[in-house]
Amino acid sequence: MPERRTVALVTLGCARNEVDSEELAGRLEADGWQLVEDAEDADVAVVNTCGFVEAAKKDSVDALLEANDLKGHGRTQAVVAVGCMAERYGKELAEALPEADGVLGFDDYSDISDRLQTILNGGIHASHTPRDRRKLLPISPAERQESAAEVALPGHGPTDLPDGLAPASGPRAPLRRRLDGAPVASVKLASGCDRRCSFCAIPSFRGSFISRRPSDVLNETRWLAEQGVKEIMLVSENNTSYGKDLGDIRLLESLLPELAEVDGVERVRVSYLQPAEMRPGLIDVLTSTPKIAPYFDLSFQHSAPGVLRAMRRFGDTDRFLELLDAIRSKAPQAGVRSNFIVGFPGETAADLAELERFLNGARLDAIGVFGYSDEEGTEAATYENKLDQDVVAERLARVSRLAEELVSQRAEERLGETVQVLVESVDSEEGVYGRGAHQAPETDGQVLLTSGEGLSVGRMVEAKVVGTEGVDLVAEPLQGSLAGSEEAGR
């Protein structure tokens, strides 16, 4: 019997990319490939790249080069680039990086097995020519669903596959294969974006916004729960737009309670929310529905009106603070995180002071700060009044220091609070770590439990916050919580 072909998926970038990698894994496994964890054990190393900002692109190139270094020293025979950077640059990336044996775009995903086999056999698959994916779907959101079947939409695989296509998963399985055993998993709610922020190139290579049907989201969530997942994180480029192409802009408000009722799911988290699109009804559902985390990943980016208009965004300091007040009036312990760009073209000292005024008043749990740099193909790259890089660097350092102080202060405000902690790691030496409802995976800090007796990964534990370490919390499990979680895990 011939030895099975082996493949490793190396994923960079955001949670959306992680979902795409698991779809690719499902397709490959269904066609007989053996999935392995380490690239050095694989015939083909597939690097799912990120193409968002320069630092992410560099990480992607480094990962491709690192995988290429394995060739000739072990099993690895080919290195293939997929993902956003591969989609965005196509032939250009292939010419600049000959170490990659293939550069595949989203249109190649449905035939990924054949593409890899061709490359593994020494053949050449022509790298795709990048195109503006916003033009692949109708301008009108209401007309997009009919055309969706003709457009490659990573992470939108069907959830009613026949028996045997996704091994050991059953007929309701999505076209997906989990790549780790973590108790949290992301589910794509939609893809693409209709917003035209002047600094962002994502819509050009991810395409226009299109929602997944609620039944697909529910079926995938049920399948993940059967795999032992306890927390579902809904991801897309803009979750607040969910349903607009399905005829119901409030569809998320009705879908969330259904997701919360899926057997085995302990928590549902919604990421990527646009402040300008927040609605009172959505706030109500996010703050009052059992098992729905009162968590708000709000993309503020700045708070000075002039800078926001140049970014082609809306709002200002006072309106943003009013939004946060509305959220906390319904859920005082709600978690809020956001990202900000400093040094945007034309940003004045007064604009920076306005941003600092907002940050000081916002009481955010987690803050990401980035210095502006030109992103090719974006409107902002053509702007005049660019700030010197030294000025951008100084402002980045200044706001980053402030952000670090503020999130530490916010953590201290949580002393004495009761938090629901999902256990994610148990180590006899390092201790037991998890996350509260206000903490998304990898971005918002974690909780160290002072006692881990009887706990295992995937347990939900009620604990009281007794200390802080920067943005991280230290919490003591409440009386009876350990026994209750042990019973729940049986």
Side-chain angles (χ1 to χ4, degrees):
M1 183 174 179
E3 190 175 9
R4 291 185 71 185
R5 303 164 295 177
T6 56
V7 59
L9 286 138
V10 180
T11 306
L12 294 94
C14 64
R16 301 185 293 273
N17 254 17
E18 294 171 4
V19 175
D20 294 350
S21 284
E22 293 197 348
E23 178 193 311
L24 292 174
R27 291 182 182 276
L28 290 166
E29 187 173 68
D31 202 46
W33 290 77
Q34 179 181 350
L35 299 165
V36 296
E37 185 174 343
D38 298 324
E40 61 185 351
D41 298 326
D43 297 316
V44 184
V46 178
V47 179
N48 192 349
T49 61
C50 180
F52 182 36
V53 293
E54 286 303 319
K57 294 177 205 173
K58 182 181 182 304
D59 288 344
S60 295
V61 170
D62 289 346
L64 287 163
L65 293 175
E66 183 177 341
N68 181 71
D69 288 341
L70 297 173
K71 290 191 293 188
H73 300 287
R75 180 161 184 157
T76 309
Q77 301 174 52
V79 176
V80 175
V82 298
C84 290
M85 188 176 180
E87 172 65 36
R88 184 177 181 184
Y89 295 104
K91 291 182 178 179
E92 182 182 344
L93 176 61
E95 292 170 359
L97 198 69
E99 290 86 353
D101 299 286
V103 176
L104 306 181
F106 297 152
D107 294 334
D108 293 306
Y109 282 21
S110 61
D111 299 311
I112 187 67
S113 179
D114 289 343
R115 300 288 188 265
L116 296 191
Q117 188 62 60
T118 296
I119 293 168
L120 188 59
N121 290 343
I124 297 175
H125 176 71
S127 301
H128 77 106
T129 300
R131 52 182 172 167
D132 189 339
R133 297 190 73 86
R134 291 172 293 190
K135 298 178 180 179
L136 301 183
L137 291 169
I139 294 176
S140 169
E143 299 175 2
R144 290 177 188 166
Q145 290 290 329
E146 292 183 5
S147 305
E150 303 170 9
V151 177
L153 297 169
H156 285 232
T159 59
D160 54 354
L161 304 176
D163 284 311
L165 184 55
S169 301
R172 196 175 60 207
L175 194 57
R176 177 172 181 172
R177 198 271 203 185
R178 296 216 68 203
L179 293 174
D180 62 39
V184 58
S186 297
V187 173
K188 273 202 177 178
L189 198 58
S191 286
C193 186
D194 287 342
R195 302 184 71 87
R196 294 295 178 263
C197 301
S198 63
F199 56 83
C200 183
I202 288 177
S204 66
F205 56 86
R206 277 290 185 179
S208 298
F209 184 89
I210 186 160
S211 304
R212 293 182 72 196
R213 294 192 175 277
S215 58
D216 285 340
V217 177
L218 275 164
N219 282 341
E220 188 164 340
T221 296
R222 293 185 182 112
W223 177 78
L224 287 166
E226 290 166 1
Q227 309 301 304
V229 171
K230 299 300 181 183
E231 178 177 322
I232 297 295
M233 186 164 75
L234 299 176
V235 299
S236 76
E237 279 74 18
N238 177 9
N239 281 331
T240 31
S241 282
Y242 179 67
K244 72 175 186 178
D245 53 320
L246 294 172
D248 185 0
I249 191 60
R250 294 176 176 82
L251 191 55
L252 184 56
E253 285 94 307
S254 59
L255 176 60
L256 284 172
E258 293 186 71
L259 292 171
E261 292 176 359
V262 171
D263 288 343
V265 170
E266 295 289 338
R267 186 155 67 202
V268 178
R269 182 184 306 278
V270 184
S271 61
Y272 305 113
L273 300 169
Q274 286 291 340
E277 297 180 34
M278 288 299 296
R279 318 175 276 280
L282 181 55
I283 294 174
D284 287 343
V285 171
L286 288 170
T287 55
S288 65
T289 308
K291 295 189 178 181
I292 301 297
Y295 175 79
F296 294 81
D297 177 9
L298 293 163
S299 177
F300 289 120
Q301 301 298 345
H302 212 284
S303 72
V307 175
L308 286 168
R309 302 306 174 270
M311 290 179 169
R312 300 218 176 274
R313 297 176 66 84
F314 304 95
D316 56 47
T317 296
D318 292 333
R319 274 192 276 183
F320 290 164
L321 291 176
E322 288 171 3
L323 172 60
L324 295 177
D325 285 344
I327 290 169
R328 290 179 175 130
S329 69
K330 297 178 180 295
Q333 293 186 0
V336 187
R337 83 165 324 274
S338 192
N339 293 326
F340 300 89
I341 298 173
V342 297
F344 196 79
E347 181 189 64
T348 65
D351 292 330
L352 190 68
E354 185 69 2
L355 173 59
E356 291 174 333
R357 180 171 81 88
F358 171 69
L359 292 174
N360 277 296
R363 297 169 54 233
L364 303 178
D365 291 276
I367 300 171
V369 187
F370 302 89
Y372 173 82
S373 62
D374 285 339
E375 190 62 31
E376 58 186 292
T378 63
E379 181 183 355
T382 69
Y383 285 177
E384 298 179 352
N385 301 320
K386 301 276 178 64
L387 278 62
D388 290 340
Q389 285 304 302
D390 288 346
V391 175
V392 175
E394 186 278 328
R395 292 184 179 185
L396 173 61
R398 170 177 162 179
V399 176
S400 295
R401 286 193 299 270
L402 174 62
E404 187 174 348
E405 293 177 12
L406 292 173
V407 296
S408 295
Q409 291 174 14
R410 177 66 183 126
E412 290 174 0
E413 290 179 14
R414 293 192 178 275
L415 287 169
E417 285 186 2
T418 299
V419 291
Q420 299 293 325
V421 180
L422 177 65
V423 177
E424 292 190 311
S425 67
V426 178
D427 187 278
S428 58
E429 295 183 359
E430 296 184 2
V432 178
Y433 284 89
R435 289 178 297 103
H438 69 287
Q439 297 168 317
E442 299 182 4
T443 60
D444 301 343
Q446 55 189 349
V447 179
L448 169 64
L449 293 173
T450 59
S451 174
E453 183 181 355
L455 287 179
S456 61
V457 171
R459 300 283 177 83
M460 192 72 77
V461 181
E462 191 174 52
K464 179 181 179 180
V465 180
V466 296
T468 66
E469 296 178 1
V471 70
D472 297 329
L473 304 181
V474 179
E476 179 180 326
L478 296 181
Q479 186 73 22
S481 179
L482 299 183
S485 65
E486 183 176 356
E487 182 69 26
R490 290 175 182 167

